Amino acid sequence: MSCAIMCPGLLTVLLTVFLLPSSVPEPLKYKDCGSQSGKLVTLDVSPCPEEPCPLVRGSTYTVNATFVSNVNSKSASAVVHGIIAGIAVPFPISEPDGCKSGISCPINSGQTYTYVTKLPIKSEYPCIKLVVKWQLQDENNKDLFCWLIPVHIAAV
Ligand SMILES: *[C@@H]1O[C@H](CO)[C@@H](O)[C@H](O)[C@H]1NC(C)=O
């Protein structure tokens, strides 16, 4: 096959891959707020078609965090805050028990765990920008992970 036939096709592929990355999922940008009892490996909040993630009222999102534990712990408890204008406001979630969110407890030091939970966005939430702070704490209330992502609550 001659280059005259092959090259335009190749160029189209390259242009599609490098200039139109919208269809290629990119890893979510997050800030690791530090942890003593573990290390966050990957974080995914979906769907999040653009960043900051638009969280549409009435929709439910999936949070998936993979971490390695440095400790043995019988329990894992999620603590979630919305940081609004610098003030951390408790954000209740329906299932704060990490042991019921994909983690088989007890947690063993050195092992990798995947925490998966749902984040429902109630229709009465105000349409504001905030930073979600999500901690998962061990039996001594020390963080197994802690992460921050900016979001905005959006109307349907
Ligand atoms: C969570 O993320 C991990 C690592 O990316 C992946 O292997 C796993 O399939 C995901 N689980 C769910 C329920 O999305």
Side-chain angles (χ1 to χ4, degrees), residues 20 28 45 52 60 62 79 89 100 122 146-147:
L20 303 168
L28 179 70
V45 175
T60 296
T62 302
V79 177
V89 178
K100 293 177 182 161
K122 295 189 177 138
C146 174
W147 49 261

Side-chain angles (χ1 to χ4, degrees), residues 20-40:
L20 303 168
S22 55
S23 59
V24 180
E26 280 189 51
L28 179 70
K29 287 184 206 75
Y30 61 85
K31 192 165 183 289
D32 191 327
C33 28
S35 48
Q36 296 153 294
S37 297
K39 177 98 188 74
L40 185 62

Side-chain angles (χ1 to χ4, degrees), residues 40-84:
L40 185 62
V41 181
T42 59
L43 172 65
D44 187 44
V45 175
S46 66
C48 176
E50 60 189 43
E51 293 180 39
C53 295
L55 301 180
V56 178
R57 293 191 295 190
S59 299
T60 296
Y61 294 81
T62 302
V63 171
N64 179 347
T66 302
F67 67 97
V68 179
S69 180
N70 297 333
V71 295
N72 297 322
S73 178
K74 283 190 272 304
S75 64
S77 318
V79 177
V80 184
H81 286 87
I83 302 174
I84 302 160

Side-chain angles (χ1 to χ4, degrees), residues 3 34 51 55 73 82 85 91 101 106 130-131 134 138:
C3 189
E51 293 180 39
L55 301 180
S73 178
F91 194 95
S101 311
L130 69 152
V131 173
W134 205 298
D138 67 10

Side-chain angles (χ1 to χ4, degrees), residues 114-132:
T114 295
Y115 167 78
V116 180
T117 196
K118 298 278 181 212
L119 179 62
I121 304 300
K122 295 189 177 138
S123 36
E124 59 264 30
Y125 289 163
C127 287
I128 51 169
K129 289 184 182 176
L130 69 152
V131 173
V132 174

Side-chain angles (χ1 to χ4, degrees), residues 88-149:
V89 178
F91 194 95
I93 56 167
S94 44
E95 183 48 86
D97 188 351
C99 299
K100 293 177 182 161
S101 311
I103 298 172
S104 56
C105 293
I107 287 174
N108 297 312
S109 178
Q111 222 167 298
T112 301
Y113 295 91
T114 295
Y115 167 78
V116 180
T117 196
K118 298 278 181 212
L119 179 62
I121 304 300
K122 295 189 177 138
S123 36
E124 59 264 30
Y125 289 163
C127 287
I128 51 169
K129 289 184 182 176
L130 69 152
V131 173
V132 174
K133 181 181 186 186
W134 205 298
Q135 291 155 278
L136 187 72
Q137 297 185 327
D138 67 10
E139 62 188 18
N140 297 314
N141 298 329
K142 297 240 168 49
D143 289 349
L144 290 157
F145 64 66
C146 174
W147 49 261
L148 301 162
I149 60 163

